[in-house]
Amino acid sequence: MGYALAGAARTRGANVVLVSGPSELPSPPGIELIRVTTAAEMRDAVVPRAAQADVVIMAAAVADYAPSAAHQQKIHKDADTLTLTLVRTPDILAELSKQRARAEWPLLVGFAAETIDVVASARRKQREKGVDLVVANDVSRTDAGFEVDTNEVTLVSSDSEEMLPLQSKSAIALQVVQRIETLLTQSRSPVRT
């Protein structure tokens, strides 16, 4: 979805920086592409740039945990068992939300890649992380989400839920970008008393 969103935003006239993990997808034309391999590298690429953006969309399904140590050489079968210690990866969306709470910051959009209680999990994420919009999708499906060209999502904001039925990722991306444009316009509207 990240590449489709970047392409849709660029089509709508945005200047786009796409921070991407390993992917075989071609870079959408007219955007700046930054490739990373780890959650820490993604954090280092995203956080410093976020304050200059009007909108930050966090669509990557970054692993929540990573091995505590990386081995440069093959680990041989010396024992019958092997214990692997995992440590939490940086929660980039939570960090951006905390920074935004201290200063006027861009619109913040997150994704909830879930397998159960998809909308409820997205609602909790939206509330707990204080983001403007969460795009929720069921990644256990074979016809939507990862490794296919289609998706079905629910857009969750503080006051609404809107389901976008199964369709191409590019069509979903365009609708998400249009919803973001509406939120951006509303956030810039003067308050009337």
Side-chain angles (χ1 to χ4, degrees), residues 19-143:
V19 178
S20 173
S23 175
E24 294 181 14
L25 294 172
S27 175
I31 67 160
E32 178 185 351
L33 176 64
I34 300 170
R35 293 202 182 271
V36 298
T37 13
T38 67
E41 288 174 357
M42 183 168 283
R43 184 242 167 249
D44 292 345
V46 170
V47 173
R49 289 173 175 80
Q52 288 79 44
D54 292 321
V55 179
V56 176
I57 305 172
M58 298 295 298
V62 177
D64 293 330
Y65 292 89
S68 62
H71 295 273
Q72 299 301 318
Q73 307 297 323
K74 176 182 174 181
I75 300 172
H76 293 282
K77 294 185 228 175
D78 294 332
D80 290 336
T81 62
L82 175 68
T83 301
L84 180 64
T85 303
L86 302 176
V87 294
R88 285 191 65 151
T89 58
D91 187 332
I92 305 166
L93 186 60
E95 183 175 348
L96 292 173
S97 181
K98 285 179 188 172
Q99 288 183 7
R100 182 172 76 159
R102 294 190 298 262
E104 187 170 321
W105 249 50
L107 204 66
L108 195 52
V109 179
F111 267 62
E114 302 291 341
T115 56
I116 57 170
D117 300 325
V118 175
V119 174
S121 295
R123 169 76 48 215
R124 185 174 53 255
K125 185 175 200 173
Q126 189 275 326
R127 187 178 56 251
E128 289 175 357
K129 296 195 181 187
V131 298
D132 301 289
L133 183 67
V134 173
V135 181
N137 61 324
D138 182 346
V139 295
S140 67
R141 294 175 55 164
T142 58
D143 64 343

Side-chain angles (χ1 to χ4, degrees), residues 129-165:
K129 296 195 181 187
V131 298
D132 301 289
L133 183 67
V134 173
V135 181
N137 61 324
D138 182 346
V139 295
S140 67
R141 294 175 55 164
T142 58
D143 64 343
F146 299 135
E147 303 298 326
V148 293
D149 293 329
T150 55
N151 211 350
E152 178 178 294
V153 302
T154 302
L155 307 180
V156 178
S157 64
S158 62
D159 59 356
S160 70
E161 294 173 9
E162 177 185 357
M163 200 271 278
L164 303 180

